[in-house]
Amino acid sequence: MGKSYRQDPASDGIDRYNVDNSPDLEKYEYDGTDSWIDYERTNMPSSYSSSSRETSGSHQPMLRKPSRQKKRKEFYRPPSRRTTRYLCLALFTTLLVFILSLVRASWNSSRQLEIGAVDKQPPKAPLWEDFPFLKRYFGGIRSLVPRDQNTPEYPGDQEPPSPSSNASVATRIQTPFPKSSPFDPYPDYKSSSYTSRYAEKHECFLDFKGNVRIPRVHFYTGVPQGQPDAVLGSHEVLGLRNNICFDRFGRLGPYGYGYSVKKGGSGAGMNGEREGADDMWRGKNSPQEVDYKKVRWAEAQQACAFKNRMRFGSVVDGTAAHGDYFLDMDTSDTQDIPRTSAIQKRDNSSAHYNHTAADNSATPTELVTLLPRTAVVIRTWWDHQYSVEDIIYLRSIITELSLLSGGEYTVHFLVHVKDDNVPIWADRKIYDRVLENSLPEEFRGMGVLWSERQMSLIYGGLQESFFRELPVHGVYRAQYMALQYFSHQHPAYEYVWNWELDVRYTGQWYHLFDRVRRWTRDQPRKGLWERNGRFYIPSVHGSWEDFKQMVRVQTDLGTNDPNNIWSGLKGGTADIPGFSQGKSDKTVWGPDGPADMLTGQGDPVPPTTYEKDKYTWGVGEEADFISFSPLFDPDGTTWFYVEDVTGYNTTEGLPPRRATIGTSSRLSRRLLQTMHRETVLKQHHMFTETWPASIALHHGLKAVFAPHPVFIDRRWPTNYLAGVMNGGRNGASGGARTSVYGGREHNFKGTTWFYDAGFSPNLWRRWLGYKVDNDGGEQEEMAGEGRMCLPGMLLHPVKGVSMVVEGGKTIEEKDIGMTDAAADAGLDPEGSG
């Protein structure tokens, strides 16, 4: 007898857990329910379901054979194997067809994207596009009011009185037209305070013989009623005059605008409202219209510099320090040239012109303070077709900065030869031929050529060649390379302005440059880098002193702005393992560079600690770098070129960096030569708009963002504007994903200063008297308030302005002495060599 696994001793001998002793369940019918319980309860003897506490002996037999009865109808019959196979085959076929359809749809979509055939849903318009346009930028001279009586349309909330009703227009027409006055922003060169410190300044002329005197820019006192104020930056802070305005004739008339070609003018500006346009030529001491067909600017600059040579310590004729600067390359260290006496004396007998008896009377003295020399380098390219408007703009820069200042500035053209197959570095004849035909005749003798191939020869050995398919020596990524080399070959210049051909200024150039230079010189270094990284918005921040203290608090304590969660900037204790991201920012005090930067450069050292400084270090120190846009921290932003760093050790992260949009700036020789040596000796480089600011940061040089006045075309809520422009970390413009730099740069479209601003060219054309979007033009000027009158404002970019000249047609370049550079050089105009 087999042993059972378990047997209840009180049972009747039936083992309920032994399969061999279990009843034959197949003999019992299953009705398809989920449990056997119902079946047991209905078919088992009643005694089976009695209490478990009863003894086994009291039970009847547990199971009985059920009576035969008709089987219940089954509710489910499993499919056959053949049916299952057919179903699986159909399902597999369906999935295969679906996958192939997706692949084909993806391929078709890719093809449509390549050919641009996809109807994309337009992105949602930015919020600022819904703000109403401002109208009083276009007010005319007949609505002038004193500045303190003006109610600006913006940024205040009060609506200005409108001077545009028919009755008021008729009244204004009957009033006398306001008189313009010559604008003179220069020092009083004849005062005792000036002559006791500096050598005598001699007057310069437009011709070689000294007969053609230089006409002056004219202005009007007051501003058109309701004219908006600048929303970013400030006239008052920089010391720029904002109680005056300039019309197109007073601003451009001295350079050939507004009078006939027969008289030597451009023939442009002969239409529209002209009342008062000729006042500058009618004064008792006013010169006659200048015949600019006879002016040669290189000779005028050289003569002016020679006449005033004692103000600078030597003759400066604008030529290179080396005879064959297109060939020579000296990498020796030239940093030891004193910054206040960098000009080395030359043999005056080499001058190609004579000087007057008055010149001979000028003698140097040990007591005279020598002025630094400054170059203004206009960036252009060899086949640029110069318009009349370009010519007038260039004449104004040379006259106002170089000639009227007695040679404080010298203007050069840095000409990009786009065809790398033209060996300008190898043959003097090729160089001279290309250079001669790269500029209009009146500017010949002022240019310096460069090419990307030449830069790759000079700055060889860089680790990589391309970033986002752009070459490391290309003009887009390395615009300052050519300027570094220019400075290396021209040691006489202590400062160099890198200036763009598409920048315009409605005010006077010397006034702008001089006031910016003075203000940046007076800025203390304490908190400077932190202020540099923010837009100054007077309507929100208050005075400059209030702004400075706000920046200090934001830096020291941080802010609760939710933008900070996106920060990529290390601050507070973030660089200490185990500590979380701090709210405060790391203040910059002295050099702040990577371990592998160039050393031994004599970098400035703070005289005391940050806490002990009383905002005195840096005051009176000339800035090594002056920018017209904030110097923002690109770390953590969505800016396109944030990772364009060449040659640095990045195993522990990118080096500290600062960037500024746009390259119109002033650089000291010290900064340019440091950049030059970092590239030559260490093979270091960064993207154009990052390079000079980052080198200044690394080596502790003084860099300053000048908050010049910037205007905007719509009525932005000013607090919202401040939140957008300074939307980075801790109220800065950079340092976070929410920075305005990167994916949010569209917010600059309506401003007067950005690399692709749309308001600046429109405002310039309206100011010139032309229609823009069916607004403005001659009829509107004649019927309304007259021509526009604007305060001094920088505008960028302004390209392709075709002026209407006598006869109603635009002037051709050949009429102003321009020839095609490539064709006259015997080269393919397309640059194929």
Side-chain angles (χ1 to χ4, degrees):
M1 181 175 176
K3 182 178 178 180
S4 65
Y5 290 108
R6 178 181 178 184
Q7 185 172 347
D8 189 349
S11 69
D12 56 359
I14 300 176
D15 187 356
R16 294 184 176 85
Y17 303 96
N18 195 322
V19 176
D20 296 336
N21 296 327
S22 64
D24 187 3
L25 299 182
E26 293 182 358
K27 298 178 181 180
Y28 298 91
E29 183 178 10
Y30 172 52
D31 62 359
T33 63
D34 292 335
S35 176
W36 288 88
I37 296 176
D38 292 338
Y39 180 85
E40 292 172 343
R41 287 179 177 175
T42 56
N43 296 285
M44 294 294 180
S46 60
S47 62
Y48 183 85
S49 60
S50 61
S51 175
S52 61
R53 295 181 182 273
E54 299 180 4
T55 61
S56 60
S58 65
H59 286 278
Q60 299 295 326
M62 292 188 62
L63 297 174
R64 66 180 177 87
K65 185 175 182 181
S67 61
R68 295 181 181 272
Q69 54 183 316
K70 186 177 179 179
K71 292 184 178 181
R72 298 181 184 180
K73 183 178 179 180
E74 296 181 359
F75 292 97
Y76 172 76
R77 181 184 298 274
S80 65
R81 292 183 177 179
R82 177 178 296 178
T83 303
T84 302
R85 286 196 299 268
Y86 287 152
L87 288 175
C88 291
L89 180 61
L91 179 61
F92 175 77
T93 304
T94 302
L95 290 175
L96 182 61
V97 172
F98 179 69
I99 293 172
L100 293 175
S101 299
L102 289 178
V103 172
R104 180 175 178 81
S106 176
W107 183 85
N108 288 336
S109 298
S110 299
R111 289 291 301 161
Q112 289 178 337
L113 286 174
E114 289 178 4
I115 63 177
V118 176
D119 294 331
K120 298 180 180 179
Q121 291 293 332
K124 186 178 179 180
L127 179 61
W128 60 266
E129 291 189 1
D130 292 332
F131 300 148
F133 282 98
L134 302 172
K135 301 177 181 179
R136 294 305 301 161
Y137 286 112
F138 313 109
I141 293 178
R142 297 180 184 276
S143 67
L144 293 181
V145 295
R147 178 75 185 184
D148 56 3
Q149 298 179 20
N150 180 46
T151 303
E153 182 184 17
Y154 183 77
D157 297 328
Q158 182 180 358
E159 289 292 333
S162 174
S164 58
S165 65
N166 291 331
S168 61
V169 171
T171 302
R172 285 193 303 277
I173 291 176
Q174 296 173 4
T175 60
F177 193 87
K179 295 292 184 181
S180 64
S181 304
F183 187 68
D184 187 2
Y186 301 93
D188 186 355
Y189 294 117
K190 296 185 181 300
S191 66
S192 58
S193 60
Y194 188 89
T195 56
S196 63
R197 184 177 182 184
Y198 303 103
E200 181 182 2
K201 182 256 183 184
H202 297 279
E203 183 180 6
C204 298
F205 297 85
L206 289 174
D207 66 327
F208 177 76
K209 296 181 179 180
N211 296 326
V212 182
R213 302 191 67 183
I214 301 172
R216 298 297 183 98
V217 167
H218 277 225
F219 70 93
Y220 291 91
T221 300
V223 297
Q225 176 62 266
Q227 187 173 85
D229 288 338
V231 67
L232 305 174
S234 169
H235 287 89
E236 293 91 338
V237 165
L238 294 181
L240 297 168
R241 292 190 62 180
N242 68 340
N243 60 345
I244 61 175
C245 65
F246 301 86
D247 78 317
R248 60 180 181 268
F249 291 107
R251 177 69 186 92
L252 305 179
Y255 311 111
Y257 180 85
Y259 60 93
S260 172
V261 175
K262 295 180 180 180
K263 294 183 178 181
S266 64
M270 305 298 291
N271 302 321
E273 193 214 27
R274 289 185 52 87
E275 187 171 359
D278 298 326
D279 285 352
M280 70 186 67
W281 312 114
R282 293 173 179 168
K284 182 178 180 180
N285 297 319
S286 299
Q288 297 297 316
E289 293 94 333
V290 176
D291 185 355
Y292 279 101
K293 295 191 298 294
K294 299 179 181 179
V295 175
R296 295 297 176 265
W297 295 101
E299 294 180 1
Q301 281 199 123
Q302 291 173 359
C304 185
F306 184 80
K307 290 177 67 175
N308 290 278
R309 64 193 180 280
M310 296 307 171
R311 303 176 67 206
F312 313 106
S314 68
V315 173
V316 180
D317 57 9
T319 60
H322 306 289
D324 290 327
Y325 54 86
F326 75 106
L327 292 173
D328 294 344
M329 180 59 201
D330 179 14
T331 58
S332 61
D333 192 347
T334 57
Q335 65 175 337
D336 295 331
I337 297 179
R339 301 188 70 190
T340 57
S341 60
I343 302 173
Q344 304 300 312
K345 293 185 178 181
R346 303 179 187 173
D347 183 3
N348 292 346
S349 63
S350 63
H352 299 291
Y353 41 82
N354 296 322
H355 48 82
T356 63
D359 300 331
N360 289 326
S361 63
T363 56
T365 173
E366 296 295 333
L367 300 179
V368 171
T369 301
L370 300 180
L371 294 172
R373 290 288 295 157
T374 302
V376 179
V377 176
I378 308 294
R379 307 299 296 247
T380 184
W381 53 99
W382 72 327
D383 56 354
H384 176 65
Q385 300 297 305
Y386 292 83
S387 67
V388 174
E389 194 262 351
D390 287 334
I391 297 293
I392 293 173
Y393 154 67
L394 294 171
R395 289 170 179 170
S396 71
I397 283 189
I398 301 170
T399 301
E400 294 163 19
L401 290 178
S402 180
L403 302 186
L404 288 176
S405 72
E408 291 181 29
Y409 298 85
T410 301
V411 179
H412 295 262
F413 293 89
L414 196 55
V415 184
H416 179 199
V417 179
K418 293 183 177 181
D419 187 352
D420 280 339
N421 294 320
V422 179
I424 57 173
W425 61 88
D427 186 87
R428 184 78 206 196
K429 292 182 179 179
I430 294 176
Y431 183 97
D432 290 342
R433 185 175 68 249
V434 173
L435 180 58
E436 180 180 359
N437 293 284
S438 295
L439 294 170
E441 186 175 356
E442 61 183 283
F443 302 121
R444 288 176 183 170
M446 300 173 61
V448 177
L449 301 180
W450 75 279
S451 69
E452 296 178 10
R453 176 79 55 86
Q454 182 190 24
M455 292 302 105
S456 67
L457 296 174
I458 295 171
Y459 297 110
L462 299 184
Q463 290 183 2
E464 56 89 20
S465 298
F466 290 90
F467 178 84
R468 299 187 185 273
E469 300 183 358
L470 295 170
V472 70
H473 295 96
V475 65
Y476 198 75
R477 289 180 61 198
Q479 185 183 121
Y480 285 107
M481 277 188 181
L483 198 71
Q484 293 169 193
Y485 189 49
F486 174 90
S487 175
H488 188 80
Q489 297 291 346
H490 294 75
Y493 297 121
E494 296 187 35
Y495 305 99
V496 177
W497 283 93
N498 186 70
W499 212 243
E500 301 296 331
L501 193 60
D502 57 356
V503 174
R504 299 294 182 268
Y505 186 55
T506 57
Q508 208 261 11
W509 288 111
Y510 186 90
H511 184 53
L512 173 69
F513 280 31
D514 183 63
R515 294 301 174 179
V516 167
R517 180 189 66 83
R518 291 171 181 264
W519 185 83
T520 56
R521 180 192 61 191
D522 294 338
Q523 292 309 295
R525 281 177 171 260
K526 187 171 184 176
L528 182 58
W529 281 105
E530 291 71 40
R531 296 191 297 274
N532 285 339
R534 290 162 168 82
F535 285 97
Y536 171 52
I537 306 174
S539 59
V540 176
H541 299 144
S543 68
W544 180 258
E545 188 63 27
D546 292 338
F547 172 71
K548 185 167 68 173
Q549 295 306 318
M550 181 201 71
V551 174
R552 180 186 62 81
V553 172
Q554 289 179 339
T555 303
D556 293 344
L557 302 180
T559 66
N560 292 322
D561 195 308
N563 292 340
N564 288 344
I565 66 175
W566 300 105
S567 174
L569 176 66
K570 289 186 176 182
T573 57
D575 54 347
I576 303 177
F579 285 85
S580 60
Q581 173 71 47
K583 285 186 176 181
S584 63
D585 288 333
K586 174 186 174 183
T587 56
V588 178
W589 191 240
D592 183 17
D596 59 340
M597 62 180 256
L598 190 66
T599 58
Q601 303 302 296
D603 297 339
V605 177
T608 184
T609 63
Y610 184 88
E611 292 74 18
K612 291 183 179 180
D613 182 78
K614 304 299 182 182
Y615 291 93
T616 56
W617 185 39
V619 175
E621 177 189 10
E622 287 283 351
D624 291 284
F625 185 57
I626 300 176
S627 167
F628 288 98
S629 294
L631 303 173
F632 69 97
D633 184 353
D635 191 17
T637 70
T638 60
W639 189 49
F640 197 69
Y641 299 99
V642 65
E643 296 181 350
D644 187 358
V645 174
T646 301
Y648 287 89
N649 183 357
T650 59
T651 56
E652 297 183 0
L654 295 172
R657 301 172 319 288
R658 293 296 185 271
T660 181
I661 302 300
T663 59
S664 294
S665 53
R666 193 192 80 165
L667 301 89
S668 69
R669 174 173 171 78
R670 175 168 65 173
L671 173 59
L672 283 166
Q673 290 309 293
T674 303
M675 295 159 59
H676 170 74
R677 288 189 292 274
E678 282 275 4
T679 309
V680 171
L681 303 178
K682 300 290 288 187
Q683 288 75 53
H684 288 166
H685 200 264
M686 297 181 191
F687 182 69
T688 291
E689 293 171 319
T690 314
W691 184 229
S694 297
I695 291 298
L697 176 70
H698 295 172
H699 292 272
L701 306 184
K702 187 177 181 181
V704 187
F705 158 48
H708 66 103
V710 176
F711 299 79
I712 202 165
D713 66 345
R714 290 170 170 83
R715 185 181 290 278
W716 287 53
T718 52
N719 285 322
Y720 173 74
L721 176 76
V724 171
M725 297 302 178
N726 291 329
R729 174 178 165 83
N730 282 339
S733 62
R737 289 184 61 83
T738 49
S739 168
V740 72
Y741 297 110
R744 306 178 73 190
E745 290 179 2
H746 60 84
N747 289 284
F748 291 102
K749 283 288 187 179
T751 67
T752 53
W753 185 259
F754 200 63
Y755 80 92
D756 65 345
F759 185 40
S760 48
N762 290 346
L763 189 62
W764 180 258
R765 286 175 170 83
R766 284 288 301 271
W767 181 73
L768 288 174
Y770 299 130
K771 273 192 173 184
V772 176
D773 297 330
N774 294 321
D775 292 325
E778 181 176 0
Q779 292 182 351
E780 186 172 314
E781 286 185 353
M782 300 293 288
E785 302 171 17
R787 57 188 178 270
M788 288 173 57
C789 198
L790 292 174
M793 59 173 70
L794 275 170
L795 302 173
H796 182 264
V798 177
K799 302 174 185 289
V801 179
S802 298
M803 288 184 168
V804 177
V805 298
E806 294 169 295
K809 299 180 180 179
T810 57
I811 194 167
E812 299 295 335
E813 282 73 13
K814 62 183 179 181
D815 295 330
I816 55 174
M818 178 63 197
T819 58
D820 185 273
D824 287 356
L827 302 170
D828 188 330
E830 299 299 325
S832 59

